[in-house]
PDB file of all heavy atoms in Angstrom:
ATOM      1  N   SER B  10      52.149   2.608 -22.922  1.00 94.00           N
ATOM      2  CA  SER B  10      52.614   2.206 -24.265  1.00 94.00           C
ATOM      3  C   SER B  10      53.885   1.491 -24.155  1.00 94.00           C
ATOM      4  O   SER B  10      54.220   0.595 -25.013  1.00 94.00           O
ATOM      5  CB  SER B  10      52.778   3.412 -25.177  1.00 94.00           C
ATOM      6  OG  SER B  10      53.920   4.110 -24.901  1.00 94.00           O
ATOM      7  N   ARG B  21      58.759   1.865 -28.211  1.00 93.00           N
ATOM      8  CA  ARG B  21      57.537   2.756 -27.905  1.00 93.00           C
ATOM      9  C   ARG B  21      57.147   3.562 -29.071  1.00 93.00           C
ATOM     10  O   ARG B  21      55.964   3.736 -29.363  1.00 93.00           O
ATOM     11  CB  ARG B  21      57.826   3.655 -26.681  1.00 93.00           C
ATOM     12  CG  ARG B  21      57.768   2.845 -25.436  1.00 93.00           C
ATOM     13  CD  ARG B  21      58.205   3.601 -24.150  1.00 93.00           C
ATOM     14  NE  ARG B  21      58.229   5.005 -24.053  1.00 93.00           N
ATOM     15  CZ  ARG B  21      59.348   5.709 -23.912  1.00 93.00           C
ATOM     16  NH1 ARG B  21      60.522   5.110 -23.950  1.00 93.00           N
ATOM     17  NH2 ARG B  21      59.337   6.956 -23.790  1.00 93.00           N
ATOM     18  N   TYR B  26      53.295   4.863 -33.574  1.00 95.00           N
ATOM     19  CA  TYR B  26      53.022   4.989 -34.954  1.00 95.00           C
ATOM     20  C   TYR B  26      51.768   4.099 -35.355  1.00 95.00           C
ATOM     21  O   TYR B  26      50.905   4.535 -36.036  1.00 95.00           O
ATOM     22  CB  TYR B  26      54.230   4.449 -35.793  1.00 95.00           C
ATOM     23  CG  TYR B  26      55.403   5.413 -35.716  1.00 95.00           C
ATOM     24  CD1 TYR B  26      56.760   4.932 -35.688  1.00 95.00           C
ATOM     25  CD2 TYR B  26      55.183   6.793 -35.707  1.00 95.00           C
ATOM     26  CE1 TYR B  26      57.794   5.831 -35.601  1.00 95.00           C
ATOM     27  CE2 TYR B  26      56.217   7.699 -35.627  1.00 95.00           C
ATOM     28  CZ  TYR B  26      57.522   7.198 -35.574  1.00 95.00           C
ATOM     29  OH  TYR B  26      58.560   8.108 -35.523  1.00 95.00           O
ATOM     30  N   TYR B  53      45.116  -1.813 -23.155  1.00 95.00           N
ATOM     31  CA  TYR B  53      45.758  -0.495 -23.176  1.00 95.00           C
ATOM     32  C   TYR B  53      44.830   0.644 -23.555  1.00 95.00           C
ATOM     33  O   TYR B  53      44.145   0.535 -24.543  1.00 95.00           O
ATOM     34  CB  TYR B  53      47.029  -0.543 -24.030  1.00 95.00           C
ATOM     35  CG  TYR B  53      47.585   0.836 -24.325  1.00 95.00           C
ATOM     36  CD1 TYR B  53      48.283   1.517 -23.334  1.00 95.00           C
ATOM     37  CD2 TYR B  53      47.484   1.412 -25.544  1.00 95.00           C
ATOM     38  CE1 TYR B  53      48.817   2.781 -23.553  1.00 95.00           C
ATOM     39  CE2 TYR B  53      47.971   2.730 -25.771  1.00 95.00           C
ATOM     40  CZ  TYR B  53      48.715   3.343 -24.730  1.00 95.00           C
ATOM     41  OH  TYR B  53      49.206   4.595 -24.951  1.00 95.00           O
ATOM     42  N   ARG B  63      52.163  16.473 -24.375  1.00 94.00           N
ATOM     43  CA  ARG B  63      53.172  16.458 -25.445  1.00 94.00           C
ATOM     44  C   ARG B  63      52.785  17.275 -26.700  1.00 94.00           C
ATOM     45  O   ARG B  63      53.507  18.043 -27.235  1.00 94.00           O
ATOM     46  CB  ARG B  63      53.356  14.935 -25.894  1.00 94.00           C
ATOM     47  CG  ARG B  63      54.070  14.736 -27.168  1.00 94.00           C
ATOM     48  CD  ARG B  63      55.533  15.136 -27.005  1.00 94.00           C
ATOM     49  NE  ARG B  63      55.994  15.826 -28.142  1.00 94.00           N
ATOM     50  CZ  ARG B  63      57.150  15.572 -28.762  1.00 94.00           C
ATOM     51  NH1 ARG B  63      57.968  14.627 -28.257  1.00 94.00           N
ATOM     52  NH2 ARG B  63      57.515  16.273 -29.771  1.00 94.00           N
TER      53      ARG B  63
ATOM     54  P    DG D   9      53.612   6.039 -16.170  1.00 83.49           P
ATOM     55  OP1  DG D   9      52.473   5.292 -15.581  1.00 83.49           O
ATOM     56  OP2  DG D   9      54.970   5.518 -16.425  1.00 83.49           O
ATOM     57  O5'  DG D   9      53.133   6.763 -17.522  1.00 83.49           O
ATOM     58  C5'  DG D   9      51.839   7.292 -17.603  1.00 83.49           C
ATOM     59  C4'  DG D   9      51.700   7.825 -19.039  1.00 83.49           C
ATOM     60  O4'  DG D   9      52.600   8.942 -19.260  1.00 83.49           O
ATOM     61  C3'  DG D   9      51.877   6.831 -20.138  1.00 83.49           C
ATOM     62  O3'  DG D   9      50.810   6.936 -21.058  1.00 83.49           O
ATOM     63  C2'  DG D   9      53.278   7.233 -20.718  1.00 83.49           C
ATOM     64  C1'  DG D   9      53.234   8.744 -20.501  1.00 83.49           C
ATOM     65  N9   DG D   9      54.522   9.353 -20.298  1.00 83.49           N
ATOM     66  C8   DG D   9      55.655   8.785 -19.743  1.00 83.49           C
ATOM     67  N7   DG D   9      56.687   9.569 -19.774  1.00 83.49           N
ATOM     68  C5   DG D   9      56.305  10.782 -20.376  1.00 83.49           C
ATOM     69  C6   DG D   9      56.962  11.923 -20.680  1.00 83.49           C
ATOM     70  O6   DG D   9      58.114  12.201 -20.447  1.00 83.49           O
ATOM     71  N1   DG D   9      56.086  12.895 -21.294  1.00 83.49           N
ATOM     72  C2   DG D   9      54.831  12.563 -21.629  1.00 83.49           C
ATOM     73  N2   DG D   9      54.151  13.600 -22.301  1.00 83.49           N
ATOM     74  N3   DG D   9      54.164  11.494 -21.360  1.00 83.49           N
ATOM     75  C4   DG D   9      54.964  10.594 -20.750  1.00 83.49           C
ATOM     76  P    DC D  10      50.771   6.119 -22.402  1.00 83.49           P
ATOM     77  OP1  DC D  10      49.389   5.843 -22.705  1.00 83.49           O
ATOM     78  OP2  DC D  10      51.750   5.109 -22.397  1.00 83.49           O
ATOM     79  O5'  DC D  10      51.243   7.198 -23.444  1.00 83.49           O
ATOM     80  C5'  DC D  10      50.473   8.405 -23.593  1.00 83.49           C
ATOM     81  C4'  DC D  10      51.221   9.373 -24.494  1.00 83.49           C
ATOM     82  O4'  DC D  10      52.426   9.674 -23.815  1.00 83.49           O
ATOM     83  C3'  DC D  10      51.533   8.940 -25.890  1.00 83.49           C
ATOM     84  O3'  DC D  10      50.589   9.560 -26.774  1.00 83.49           O
ATOM     85  C2'  DC D  10      52.957   9.481 -26.143  1.00 83.49           C
ATOM     86  C1'  DC D  10      53.327  10.171 -24.788  1.00 83.49           C
ATOM     87  N1   DC D  10      54.733   9.875 -24.333  1.00 83.49           N
ATOM     88  C2   DC D  10      55.714  10.778 -24.443  1.00 83.49           C
ATOM     89  O2   DC D  10      55.469  11.880 -24.982  1.00 83.49           O
ATOM     90  N3   DC D  10      56.985  10.496 -23.955  1.00 83.49           N
ATOM     91  C4   DC D  10      57.230   9.315 -23.433  1.00 83.49           C
ATOM     92  N4   DC D  10      58.439   9.121 -23.016  1.00 83.49           N
ATOM     93  C5   DC D  10      56.204   8.315 -23.308  1.00 83.49           C
ATOM     94  C6   DC D  10      55.007   8.656 -23.706  1.00 83.49           C
ATOM     95  P    DT D  11      50.666   9.126 -28.311  1.00 83.49           P
ATOM     96  OP1  DT D  11      49.314   9.473 -28.807  1.00 83.49           O
ATOM     97  OP2  DT D  11      51.103   7.738 -28.327  1.00 83.49           O
ATOM     98  O5'  DT D  11      51.726  10.094 -28.918  1.00 83.49           O
ATOM     99  C5'  DT D  11      51.334  11.490 -29.152  1.00 83.49           C
ATOM    100  C4'  DT D  11      52.501  12.220 -29.609  1.00 83.49           C
ATOM    101  O4'  DT D  11      53.652  11.928 -28.805  1.00 83.49           O
ATOM    102  C3'  DT D  11      52.885  12.005 -31.065  1.00 83.49           C
ATOM    103  O3'  DT D  11      53.222  13.308 -31.565  1.00 83.49           O
ATOM    104  C2'  DT D  11      54.205  11.214 -30.936  1.00 83.49           C
ATOM    105  C1'  DT D  11      54.813  11.802 -29.669  1.00 83.49           C
ATOM    106  N1   DT D  11      55.734  10.948 -28.920  1.00 83.49           N
ATOM    107  C2   DT D  11      56.945  11.515 -28.524  1.00 83.49           C
ATOM    108  O2   DT D  11      57.256  12.670 -28.794  1.00 83.49           O
ATOM    109  N3   DT D  11      57.786  10.680 -27.848  1.00 83.49           N
ATOM    110  C4   DT D  11      57.526   9.330 -27.448  1.00 83.49           C
ATOM    111  O4   DT D  11      58.325   8.638 -26.817  1.00 83.49           O
ATOM    112  C5   DT D  11      56.197   8.854 -27.916  1.00 83.49           C
ATOM    113  C7   DT D  11      55.883   7.441 -27.521  1.00 83.49           C
ATOM    114  C6   DT D  11      55.466   9.671 -28.580  1.00 83.49           C
ATOM    115  P    DT D  12      53.018  13.477 -33.147  1.00 83.49           P
ATOM    116  OP1  DT D  12      52.070  14.612 -33.404  1.00 83.49           O
ATOM    117  OP2  DT D  12      52.910  12.201 -33.848  1.00 83.49           O
ATOM    118  O5'  DT D  12      54.506  14.087 -33.568  1.00 83.49           O
ATOM    119  C5'  DT D  12      55.217  14.970 -32.684  1.00 83.49           C
ATOM    120  C4'  DT D  12      56.566  14.902 -32.864  1.00 83.49           C
ATOM    121  O4'  DT D  12      57.272  13.967 -32.102  1.00 83.49           O
ATOM    122  C3'  DT D  12      57.048  14.655 -34.326  1.00 83.49           C
ATOM    123  O3'  DT D  12      58.081  15.512 -34.675  1.00 83.49           O
ATOM    124  C2'  DT D  12      57.485  13.228 -34.200  1.00 83.49           C
ATOM    125  C1'  DT D  12      58.190  13.220 -32.846  1.00 83.49           C
ATOM    126  N1   DT D  12      58.317  11.877 -32.153  1.00 83.49           N
ATOM    127  C2   DT D  12      59.460  11.643 -31.395  1.00 83.49           C
ATOM    128  O2   DT D  12      60.262  12.450 -31.176  1.00 83.49           O
ATOM    129  N3   DT D  12      59.445  10.389 -30.853  1.00 83.49           N
ATOM    130  C4   DT D  12      58.633   9.307 -31.091  1.00 83.49           C
ATOM    131  O4   DT D  12      58.821   8.221 -30.511  1.00 83.49           O
ATOM    132  C5   DT D  12      57.513   9.676 -31.965  1.00 83.49           C
ATOM    133  C7   DT D  12      56.465   8.580 -32.208  1.00 83.49           C
ATOM    134  C6   DT D  12      57.474  10.898 -32.484  1.00 83.49           C
ATOM    135  P    DT D  13      58.078  16.202 -36.186  1.00 83.49           P
ATOM    136  OP1  DT D  13      58.566  17.553 -35.940  1.00 83.49           O
ATOM    137  OP2  DT D  13      56.784  15.919 -36.793  1.00 83.49           O
ATOM    138  O5'  DT D  13      59.199  15.394 -36.995  1.00 83.49           O
ATOM    139  C5'  DT D  13      60.375  16.083 -37.312  1.00 83.49           C
ATOM    140  C4'  DT D  13      61.407  15.963 -36.214  1.00 83.49           C
ATOM    141  O4'  DT D  13      61.063  14.925 -35.324  1.00 83.49           O
ATOM    142  C3'  DT D  13      62.807  15.734 -36.695  1.00 83.49           C
ATOM    143  O3'  DT D  13      63.632  16.854 -36.660  1.00 83.49           O
ATOM    144  C2'  DT D  13      63.290  14.544 -35.874  1.00 83.49           C
ATOM    145  C1'  DT D  13      62.249  14.347 -34.754  1.00 83.49           C
ATOM    146  N1   DT D  13      61.978  12.914 -34.545  1.00 83.49           N
ATOM    147  C2   DT D  13      62.799  12.201 -33.662  1.00 83.49           C
ATOM    148  O2   DT D  13      63.695  12.708 -33.108  1.00 83.49           O
ATOM    149  N3   DT D  13      62.442  10.896 -33.493  1.00 83.49           N
ATOM    150  C4   DT D  13      61.332  10.223 -34.034  1.00 83.49           C
ATOM    151  O4   DT D  13      61.134   9.099 -33.816  1.00 83.49           O
ATOM    152  C5   DT D  13      60.567  11.026 -34.944  1.00 83.49           C
ATOM    153  C7   DT D  13      59.377  10.426 -35.565  1.00 83.49           C
ATOM    154  C6   DT D  13      60.850  12.307 -35.163  1.00 83.49           C
TER     155       DT D  13
END
Side-chain angles (χ1 to χ4, degrees):
Chain B
S10 77
R21 283 172 23 246
Y26 290 144
Y53 170 70
R63 167 68 223 226

